[in-house]
Every structure is written in C-alpha cells, then in structure tokens.
Amino acid sequence: MSAELSSEIKELLSIHHSIKEFKKDTYLFQDGDAIKGIYIIYKGKVQIGKVTPDGRELTLKICGPSQMVGEVTVFSTDAKYMLDAKAIEDVVCAKITINDLEEALLHNAKLAAIFMKWMGIDQQKTQTKFRDLLLHGKKGALYSTLIRLSNSYGVRKKNGILIDLHLTNQELANFCGMTREVVNRMLSELKKQEVLSMQEGKLTIHDVNHLKVEINCENCPISVCKID
C-alpha cells in the first residue's frame, strides 16, 4: 500500500505507527476529544467537518489515500480536536501518536520541515475557502466548492470533468454552509445554462471556466485549490 503514497507521507511513516481500520460511518475522532495523534489514509475516504449546537452540519474537506487527517496542535498541553473525522467509506490508515510525532519532530529536521509544509498548505486551503465565501457569498461558496471537487476528484471526459464522488445536494450544501434548497436552485440554474449535469449521483462540469469567471478565480496552485 505504501508504494502508492507520496515521498513526504512515506517519510512521515518512518515514525513508529500502528494500522487502524474504521468501518463506514464510524469516527476516527470527534470534536472535543483529546488529541491522540494523526492518521495517514491508505484506503477509503474521511469527511472532516463540524456539527453546530443547533444541528447544522458543515463539511470542510474530504480526505482520501495519501492524505493526512488530524489538525494537530503539537507541543501543547491538553489540546483537543476541533472537528469530526468521519469515515464515509471503509478506511484503512496508519496512526502516529502525538508523543511519537513530537519526539520525531524534535530530532529530525527533515520530518519537521515536511510537517510544517503540510500544515502550511492546509492553512492556505482553509483561507482561500473563507475568502471565496466572504468575497462572493453563496455563489462563491458553491462555485469554488465545485472547482475544488474537480481538482481533487475530477476525471477528464470528452464532455467535461466528471467528479468521481457520489454527492447529494445536501452534502454539497454542507460544504457551503447553505441550505439544500438554495443549492438546489443554484444547481438547477447551472444545469439550464449547460454548465454542469448530473448522472447516477455524480456531477459532470462541462464549463469549469464559467465557474472561474463568475468568482474571479485567481488561479491558485492546484495544491491549494482542492477539497481534501
């Protein structure tokens, strides 16, 4: 399995770790849990999000193979996870405990640089998501989500980019912090304009440039403009 992982992730796996398996719809960790470590995904997908006290769900990202999960605050006392990590498929992953991670970062400059790079990119992704929401409102939230999904899970076809991920309108709404009804209306308008279509629960974007123009896309690097 590790042969499919990036060189950076392989370097992190030089730290002592254990293999964990999680069934679909179970949690790797939940909001408020004490931070025990990070998880590197071998197989399956993990949804990172938060449920508000009034029951609203916000999805921040979906992570797949060769991705790291667990927004860890290293070298802190009594740190807690601030988000939920839910398996949306059966997941196989490596778990590195916080103690082993901190020990390795203290004594291995290369590992420390790799970990800092990962945290920096993750922060950039979050900042650009909020930028699109604040500057362009609901349209920015949905359109940028569609662009990010195409960059993370898009498969180029003759008629456009197929987002190879089953997503309901409610799940899309959770990414955008909007109601399903609002997303329904916006998707219907995009379908009328033939910007996108849906078949068998999967979206195909026929004109991604239309989405980019509408939100004044700044052509950020693909490493930043992703949903994972």
Side-chain angles (χ1 to χ4, degrees), residues 81-208:
Y81 292 110
M82 298 178 66
L83 301 166
D84 297 325
K86 181 180 179 181
I88 57 174
E89 298 176 356
D90 289 347
V91 168
V92 179
C93 60
K95 179 181 179 180
I96 301 173
T97 69
I98 187 66
N99 290 335
D100 287 335
L101 176 63
E102 290 179 349
E103 183 69 18
L105 295 179
L106 280 172
H107 296 95
N108 188 322
K110 184 177 181 180
L111 278 174
I114 288 171
F115 194 75
M116 288 173 64
K117 178 182 177 182
W118 172 74
M119 293 186 73
I121 291 174
D122 197 57
Q123 186 179 50
Q124 284 182 292
K125 290 178 183 178
T126 301
Q127 288 175 341
T128 55
K129 288 173 188 175
F130 284 116
R131 174 201 66 193
D132 292 337
L133 176 60
L134 291 172
L135 291 181
H136 303 290
K138 295 175 181 178
K139 179 185 287 187
L142 178 60
Y143 288 17
S144 65
T145 294
L146 292 170
I147 293 168
R148 287 185 170 88
L149 284 167
S150 71
N151 288 335
S152 291
Y153 297 105
V155 179
R156 191 162 293 279
K157 302 289 185 179
K158 290 181 179 179
N159 63 339
I161 302 172
L162 169 69
I163 298 176
D164 194 18
L165 193 67
H166 286 280
L167 287 170
T168 65
N169 287 4
Q170 181 61 63
E171 288 168 335
L172 272 177
N174 292 344
F175 274 111
C176 308
M178 296 189 291
T179 64
R180 186 183 70 250
E181 290 74 18
V182 171
V183 169
N184 287 348
R185 289 197 297 271
M186 295 175 72
L187 288 178
S188 294
E189 184 61 31
L190 289 173
K191 290 174 183 176
K192 289 179 183 177
Q193 297 173 11
E194 298 184 347
V195 173
L196 56 76
S197 61
M198 177 178 282
Q199 288 186 326
E200 299 178 354
K202 293 184 178 181
L203 285 167
T204 297
I205 301 176
H206 305 297
D207 187 359
V208 71

Side-chain angles (χ1 to χ4, degrees), residues 67-94:
Q67 293 290 321
M68 189 160 29
V69 173
E71 19 62 85
V72 175
T73 303
V74 293
F75 306 111
S76 297
T77 304
D78 299 325
K80 298 183 183 299
Y81 292 110
M82 298 178 66
L83 301 166
D84 297 325
K86 181 180 179 181
I88 57 174
E89 298 176 356
D90 289 347
V91 168
V92 179
C93 60

